[in-house]
Amino acid sequence: MPTVTAIEPRLPPLPKLWKRVPQGRVLAFAPHPDDEVAGPGGALAMHAAQGDAVRVVVASDGTSGDPDGRYTQGHFVTTRRAESQAGLRLLGVDDVRFWGFPDGHVLSETDLRNAAALAQQELAAFRPDVVYLPWELDGHADHVALHVIVARALDASGFRGLALGYEVWNAMVPDVIVETTAVFPRKQAAMLAHASQIAYTQYDHCLGGLSAYRSLVHLRGRGYGEAYRCVRGSLPAALAEPV
């Protein structure tokens, strides 16, 4: 019989708890129109409320979000952009840029390089202190591709700030939980602004449940939170709550 190597069980590090978000200029990258609110929506609302400049970049045109063909393609792109803008306004954010890349496209190495150069331009133009991007194992090809694109751009630009990975499709083992209880109703309303997507999948219900679950460790299951992994930089020690 083959030898089975025993694996020593170990606990992951306890995530930090933040009741505030870092101050500074914020640039958030979203794979599709709606990921910007579904993922870091609570944190973006908190940044906007404390007066931080916030810009969102939406990478794809979102056309795969209409599998039944209820819209013409051109009208659907316009619809999804309008939903994105409406949802972000509910969070206090009105600065959004759309790259318009094809949704669900398998990217070649050349595609990745070109997109990373575009992300690097965004970084140079906006000069963020904090960047949000999908975490590396988010369970959707477009999300993973955007993680690679933005991570390459961060390295190429010599980014010295804080980059945080957010979850949508796959739950992560987080480095930090941001308590979003106070802004959760606004995040929920922002998700509902994407009516074309809610008609297919009630992701507001699912991600609302995930946000409630994120209150389990530090908040005794009361309230809501968002989970993040540190992608670049280091977590500011001053933000960590005693636990």
Side-chain angles (χ1 to χ4, degrees):
M1 295 180 63
T3 302
V4 177
T5 303
I7 299 176
E8 287 293 328
R10 61 185 180 89
L11 288 173
L14 191 69
K16 307 295 184 185
L17 173 64
W18 289 355
K19 292 181 177 291
R20 300 176 290 122
V21 287
Q23 290 189 308
R25 297 174 64 81
V26 176
L27 184 59
F29 290 89
H32 311 99
D34 71 5
D35 290 315
E36 69 279 7
V37 297
L44 297 185
M46 293 168 71
H47 280 291
Q50 68 186 18
D52 296 334
V54 179
R55 174 175 290 177
V56 171
V57 175
V58 179
S60 81
D61 58 16
T63 50
S64 291
D66 183 28
D68 293 347
R70 300 173 183 177
Y71 301 80
T72 62
Q73 183 166 338
H75 178 57
F76 191 58
V77 170
T78 301
T79 296
R80 295 215 64 185
R81 289 188 178 188
E83 290 173 343
S84 182
Q85 291 166 328
L88 285 169
R89 279 195 297 270
L90 292 169
L91 303 180
V93 177
D94 59 10
D95 186 355
V96 56
R97 298 168 64 87
F98 298 97
W99 283 351
F101 288 171
D103 190 0
H105 180 66
V106 177
L107 300 182
S108 66
E109 180 58 33
T110 299
D111 293 330
L112 291 172
R113 284 198 303 268
N114 291 341
L118 189 56
Q120 193 173 347
Q121 292 174 20
E122 299 283 0
L123 292 166
F126 193 72
R127 296 175 290 106
D129 302 295
V130 183
V131 170
Y132 292 93
L133 68 158
W135 80 291
E136 64 271 21
L137 297 176
D138 200 34
H140 189 297
D142 292 347
H143 290 227
V144 174
L146 188 60
H147 175 91
V148 171
I149 288 164
V150 177
R152 289 186 182 186
L154 293 171
D155 293 341
S157 66
F159 179 69
R160 296 183 179 276
L162 175 64
L164 296 172
Y166 61 82
E167 61 187 1
V168 176
W169 286 97
N170 276 357
M172 64 174 67
V173 177
D175 296 318
V176 62
I177 301 294
V178 178
E179 184 182 0
T180 59
T181 305
V183 297
F184 179 75
R186 293 169 61 194
K187 173 172 177 168
Q188 189 172 44
M191 289 190 287
L192 291 172
H194 292 267
S196 70
Q197 300 309 288
I198 299 296
Y200 282 110
T201 303
Q202 279 196 274
Y203 71 85
D204 62 307
H205 168 72
C206 300
L207 294 175
L210 181 59
S211 288
Y213 166 72
R214 288 306 184 187
S215 73
L216 178 63
V217 174
H218 294 308
L219 304 173
R220 299 185 179 183
R222 301 181 179 93
Y224 296 91
E226 289 176 351
Y228 294 96
R229 287 173 62 87
C230 187
V231 176
R232 296 290 186 276
S234 56
L235 300 177
L239 290 179
E241 296 286 328
V243 294

